[in-house]
Amino acid sequence: MAYLLAKDTVNGSEGRVYINQSGRSVEVAGMRNIRADAEIQSQDMRVIGTRTIQGKKNGVKLTGKGNIYYGSNIFTDMVLQYINTGQMPDFDIQITNQDPTTTIGNQVMADARRMLGCLQGRTQKVITGVTVRTAKGMTTFSALSEVEFAPLTEHEIAYYVDKYRPFDKAGAYGIQEWIGAAGIKGITGSFYNVMGLPVQRLYSHLKSI
């Protein structure tokens, strides 16, 4: 059985918050208990020629939350600027984890391009845990696959993220998509495990029950 090593994981429970404004990156707060979510949005559509209504995917809603344990007065200054001038400055928010034990190092969260930038040229371990429960009892096993990424340019990563929108995927990529053909040199283990479920391993287990 394969085990997940602590040094190969990223703990996103604590980090720092930065805003990017006018080309400057400024630290504004520290956060704990950080959580980032991606929710697929859908809209009811009538199927042509029928009375059937089906949901059609039309986007992804990205949200996040966390507890701030210290902060700066930069947002107060922005509010005062808006009161005095009527102009609200534009800015981007970025959250960076501060896990010192990971083999990847500090990493920007909820950013598919940066995540793929961490993976390119490296070998990623994908471990899936499966639990099967029957009337006779419950068993648990895991499957390990290693995915070797080729070096990828910023242009290649940007193309993939903009075209395929992998915001709802673990690792920010789907191996069955363009990046699997163009950006992955090899796989050790199950292809379907990388997709999300070690099908052959599960099938073998079910036959043995």
Side-chain angles (χ1 to χ4, degrees), residues 135-202:
K136 297 179 180 180
M138 183 171 65
T139 55
T140 299
F141 62 87
S142 65
L144 168 68
S145 299
E146 295 188 353
V147 182
E148 183 182 1
F149 279 81
L152 296 169
T153 66
E154 291 184 4
H155 175 75
E156 290 171 324
I157 292 174
Y159 166 79
Y160 172 70
V161 172
D162 292 342
K163 183 174 179 62
Y164 291 89
R165 316 293 290 175
F167 306 122
D168 60 336
K169 293 180 171 60
Y173 73 95
I175 194 170
Q176 71 276 18
E177 298 173 339
W178 174 86
I179 198 168
I184 292 178
K185 295 173 66 176
I187 303 172
T188 302
S190 168
F191 173 87
Y192 289 101
N193 184 48
V194 182
M195 286 185 64
L197 182 68
V199 178
Q200 192 280 328
R201 179 78 182 274
L202 177 59

Side-chain angles (χ1 to χ4, degrees), residues 16-150:
R16 301 178 187 275
V17 182
Y18 300 84
I19 67 168
N20 298 314
Q21 182 183 27
S22 303
R24 292 192 310 123
S25 181
V26 181
E27 181 181 339
V28 295
M31 293 189 74
R32 292 195 178 104
N33 303 318
I34 302 167
R35 176 173 175 175
D37 296 306
E39 179 182 353
I40 297 177
Q41 303 290 293
S42 63
Q43 180 179 2
D44 287 344
M45 303 288 290
R46 183 182 296 277
V47 179
I48 296 175
T50 73
R51 293 187 175 88
T52 305
I53 301 296
Q54 292 185 347
K56 180 178 177 62
K57 305 297 185 292
N58 62 359
V60 176
K61 181 180 180 181
L62 303 177
T63 60
K65 63 182 180 180
N67 303 119
I68 293 178
Y69 61 90
Y70 73 84
S72 73
N73 61 354
I74 189 167
F75 292 114
T76 303
D77 294 340
M78 288 182 182
V79 173
L80 292 174
Q81 178 180 336
Y82 179 74
I83 293 173
N84 295 327
T85 68
Q87 296 180 345
M88 187 67 181
D90 295 327
F91 61 91
D92 297 320
I93 293 181
Q94 169 182 307
I95 301 176
T96 304
N97 82 54
Q98 298 294 315
D99 185 355
T101 62
T102 176
T103 53
I104 294 179
N106 288 353
Q107 184 181 26
V108 176
M109 300 178 64
D111 189 321
R113 295 190 187 189
R114 290 180 182 270
M115 186 172 293
L116 289 171
C118 290
L119 293 175
Q120 64 89 23
R122 301 170 65 102
T123 298
Q124 179 200 27
K125 294 180 180 179
V126 179
I127 302 175
T128 305
V130 179
T131 296
V132 178
R133 184 170 185 173
T134 68
K136 297 179 180 180
M138 183 171 65
T139 55
T140 299
F141 62 87
S142 65
L144 168 68
S145 299
E146 295 188 353
V147 182
E148 183 182 1
F149 279 81

